[in-house]
Amino acid sequence: MRRKTVRDIDVSGRRVLVRTDYNVPMDDHGVISDDMRIRVTLPTIRYLQERGARIIICSHLDRPGGKVVESLRLAPVARRLSELLGEPVMPLREVVGSGVESAVSEMQQGDVVMLENLRFNPGEKAKDPQFAEDLARLADIYVNDAFGVSHRAAASLVGVPQHLPAVAGLLLQKELDAFADVLEQPERPFAAVIGGAKVSDKLGVLENVLTRVDHLLIGGGMASTFIRSEGYGTGASRVEAEQLDAVRQIEKKAQAQGVDLHLPSDVVVADSLKADAQVRTVPAAEIPDGSMIVDIGPATIDDFARTLSRCRTVVWNGPMGVFENPGSAEGTRRIAAAIASINGTTVIGGGSTAEAVEKFGFTDRMSHISTGGGAALALLAGERLPGVEALPVREAETIGTAA
Ligand code: ADP
Ligand code: MG
């Protein structure tokens, strides 16, 4: 179900409240080490600005806990946005209230202001209806462009759209379309590559993708739980004993549904997760006592790469190994390369996975790299996002689904 977007309404001259996810890494001096979350919202802001909207941006930053925390003011974020946009962005010192209302009433067409950190107000996390109303009063139209937080319910995400015409921003739309395309109408063969630290973080993802893919490739720390469930020793690897049943169910379902489940046949092991740990390759069935799995091995890489090269659609979540360490980066790097090379649609979800793709230089060769970790996982798990559910469905689709 596609949602209405900013392209479906007339924004010219209107006051538009834009919820963004500017929860950027920032130190106590206001230095932002990574402005990706700001950059990805530029298309929506420029779109609104070109049409003469009055743009009121709101976001939360970190966890001030419902009160003012000086080091978590949004002024440095407004400054960075202004630099990127090449236009002034006025930071306001309050979230809502008469001071904010009078500042907004003085805005000209194309002006951009930024409300203070939403989480300075306890009403944001509490979904306080009064707070939502106070925010809504500032604007004529509401735009959600905060994909990265849309899997959470907060006043600015689910409360405000009850009071205003509400639409998705261009970033939110792009993210939702990318996941809908691959999950709902993938070109086949379709593979999911799932790795990362723990099975328990990814159980919903595994269960959902299993019903959609032709190949399921498992790597990362979670592989040890799968290897154990097959009855092999896993040395000192971290095994989630309480997930062994869930993993067996996944293996059974894969078999029943004709999904080709690929587990590592060989692995790289080390005696610690330290950066300089000595590594060696062993068969997955012969992991020595005291050793832990830190990466997939070369035979597994070859098997995975061969499978991926035949696929037309790939979703990838979770690194294949401890890619931060040079001795255990190869699995993740080679799988990233294999995915980058396929002739088809490739969607990357997960904070660490996106980081790995960037680190190994494949960013430009993927169809879509999600900007939201938790929200991407929720979509891959087939969950509905509260911030998206709060937006109206596009007319054409309402008619289509009602019929
Ligand atoms: P994402 O953020 O992409 O969803 P996760 O958070 O699930 O991914 O997992 C990322 C982390 O998993 C990385 O920091 C990586 O070092 C770690 N990891 C990958 N393989 C292993 C392994 N075999 N043992 C321990 N940690 C691992
Ligand atoms: Mg992560």
Side-chain angles (χ1 to χ4, degrees):
M1 266 193 307
R2 313 261 154 161
R3 305 285 152 174
K4 267 195 180 174
T5 81
V6 76
R7 295 188 198 280
D8 297 318
I9 46 163
D10 182 9
V11 298
S12 57
R14 317 298 295 281
R15 298 172 301 162
V16 182
L17 181 68
V18 186
R19 175 49 155 117
T20 57
D21 174 16
Y22 288 167
N23 189 21
V24 293
M26 185 171 97
D27 71 13
D28 287 347
H29 306 286
V31 176
I32 296 165
S33 57
D34 181 354
D35 62 7
M36 179 272 283
R37 288 180 173 174
I38 305 175
R39 278 185 281 115
V40 293
T41 64
L42 293 175
T44 296
I45 296 170
R46 290 202 174 111
Y47 180 93
L48 293 169
Q49 205 166 31
E50 281 162 12
R51 283 156 187 79
R54 301 158 213 260
I55 304 159
I56 305 155
I57 294 174
C58 64
S59 174
H60 78 273
L61 175 63
D62 215 325
R63 299 176 177 188
K67 58 181 189 323
V68 175
V69 173
E70 287 302 325
S71 60
L72 296 179
R73 287 194 178 276
L74 279 182
V77 175
R79 206 174 308 131
R80 189 80 195 102
L81 172 62
S82 171
E83 287 164 14
L84 293 167
L85 202 58
E87 303 276 349
V89 176
M90 183 163 70
L92 303 180
R93 301 267 302 170
E94 283 148 11
V95 189
V96 289
S98 56
V100 173
E101 284 169 29
S102 78
V104 167
S105 71
E106 282 160 28
M107 289 173 73
Q108 305 295 312
Q109 291 200 6
D111 280 357
V112 186
V113 302
M114 190 179 293
L115 303 183
E116 191 48 279
N117 190 340
L118 289 166
R119 287 195 188 162
F120 283 4
N121 190 307
E124 170 65 352
K125 282 201 85 170
K127 291 181 280 176
D128 177 12
Q130 184 58 53
F131 179 57
E133 237 182 281
D134 291 345
L135 284 169
R137 191 162 347 107
L138 300 172
D140 307 306
I141 291 170
Y142 168 83
V143 175
N144 179 347
D145 214 21
F147 175 69
V149 291
S150 286
H151 59 307
R152 309 219 181 277
S156 66
L157 293 159
V158 299
V160 179
Q162 293 181 5
H163 301 283
L164 293 175
V167 294
L170 301 176
L171 170 68
L172 182 63
Q173 178 197 20
K174 185 166 123 200
E175 291 273 8
L176 296 176
D177 285 353
F179 285 96
D181 285 349
V182 295
L183 292 174
E184 287 159 26
Q185 41 205 352
E187 236 192 293
R188 296 185 181 277
F190 176 19
V193 182
I194 310 292
K198 293 189 290 178
V199 173
S200 48
D201 290 344
K202 307 286 169 78
L203 206 53
V205 175
L206 289 168
E207 283 173 351
N208 184 45
V209 299
L210 190 59
T211 64
R212 301 169 191 275
V213 298
D214 303 299
H215 298 275
L216 178 56
L217 286 58
I218 303 287
M222 70 161 67
S224 44
T225 305
F226 278 85
I227 291 169
R228 176 71 65 83
S229 91
E230 304 264 280
Y232 300 114
T234 45
S237 306
R238 183 175 168 189
V239 169
E240 294 165 274
E242 69 291 353
Q243 300 298 341
L244 283 168
D245 275 343
V247 160
R248 277 186 207 111
Q249 288 303 319
I250 286 166
E251 291 173 325
K252 253 200 220 153
K253 278 186 210 159
Q255 208 173 14
Q257 301 192 14
V259 173
D260 208 345
L261 178 66
H262 301 245
L263 298 178
S265 57
D266 62 345
V267 291
V268 175
V269 296
D271 47 18
S272 81
L273 294 176
K274 292 199 189 114
D276 58 354
Q278 281 291 326
V279 298
R280 64 191 172 114
T281 301
V282 298
E286 295 168 29
I287 296 168
D289 288 344
S291 292
M292 55 185 76
I293 299 172
V294 290
D295 199 4
I296 55 176
T300 304
I301 293 174
D302 286 344
D303 167 53
F304 284 16
R306 211 175 312 118
T307 300
L308 292 168
S309 71
R310 293 195 303 265
C311 288
R312 301 299 299 236
T313 307
V314 178
V315 293
W316 179 21
N317 169 260
M320 295 291 96
V322 185
F323 71 96
E324 297 90 339
N325 297 345
S328 49
E330 199 57 10
T332 304
R333 193 184 65 76
R334 294 268 315 274
I335 294 310
I339 296 173
S341 303
I342 84 154
N343 179 13
T345 307
T346 52
V347 172
I348 314 299
S352 295
T353 316
E355 197 184 302
V357 169
E358 171 86 33
K359 173 174 175 165
F360 299 127
F362 296 109
T363 300
D364 296 338
R365 293 173 58 194
M366 305 298 185
S367 310
H368 181 74
I369 300 180
S370 181
T371 61
L377 282 188
L379 286 181
L380 288 175
E383 292 165 20
R384 291 166 184 276
L385 312 187
V388 174
E389 296 298 305
L391 305 174
V393 173
R394 284 184 67 176
E395 286 302 310
E397 305 225 3
T398 322
I399 295 161
T401 48

